[in-house]
Amino acid sequence: MVVLLYLQCQKEAVKRNYGSTKQSQKAQRVCHFLNHPLFNVLNPKTMLFFLSIFSQLVPVDDSSSHQFAFFYGVYMSAMHMIWFCLVAWLVTSKKVLGVFHRAGHRVNQVCGVGLIAFGASLVLAK
């Protein structure tokens, strides 16, 4: 929640300083490019994901596993960065945005039905 408030304040500051010009759009892109990786690194869900992956793949009792853990961490970080850059690039392309605007309502409905079904299966599970 604090992150969203911070981003909104920053967006308003950029609008106030630059107005609604091309320069404002460029400044907003630079702010997003600099801030979002930081927020992703500080995201507790991301840290828990990496911790769970590491605990599954890196043995604790082996002293030679430190080198494996380091290289695996670098590899996972690089893959994570590539994935999020790819997603950001795809989601912000005009063609994909057009598809999202046309099909967004249906996608929300399908996701809602899926989440309701998942919740019902949790409730009914013994």
Side-chain angles (χ1 to χ4, degrees):
M1 186 65 157
V2 174
V3 171
L4 295 175
L5 289 172
Y6 172 74
L7 286 176
Q8 186 62 33
C9 290
Q10 220 177 22
K11 182 178 177 182
E12 294 301 321
V14 167
K15 280 184 181 178
R16 194 173 339 111
N17 291 336
Y18 294 101
S20 60
T21 63
K22 292 266 186 193
Q23 192 176 10
S24 169
Q25 292 173 353
K26 184 177 179 183
Q28 283 180 355
R29 276 190 241 124
V30 169
C31 284
H32 291 315
F33 181 77
L34 295 175
N35 286 330
H36 287 286
L38 175 67
F39 293 135
N40 193 32
V41 167
L42 297 175
N43 185 350
K45 292 179 289 189
T46 305
M47 286 186 261
L48 287 174
F49 169 75
F50 279 110
L51 182 64
S52 67
I53 293 292
F54 272 36
S55 67
Q56 294 292 317
L57 296 176
V58 179
V60 179
D61 56 351
D62 188 12
S63 63
S64 66
S65 66
H66 296 295
Q67 187 176 13
F68 171 76
F70 174 75
F71 286 115
Y72 187 71
V74 169
Y75 168 77
M76 286 296 288
S77 297
M79 290 297 110
H80 202 157
M81 187 174 12
I82 289 169
W83 170 253
F84 279 106
C85 287
L86 179 66
V87 167
W89 177 69
L90 286 174
V91 169
T92 57
S93 71
K94 290 185 188 292
K95 190 174 184 179
V96 174
L97 282 174
V99 171
F100 281 162
H101 286 294
R102 286 192 304 277
H105 183 67
R106 292 286 178 219
V107 170
N108 284 338
Q109 288 176 337
V110 169
C111 288
V113 168
L115 288 172
I116 289 170
F118 178 65
S121 71
L122 289 176
V123 167
L124 297 175
K126 291 185 180 186

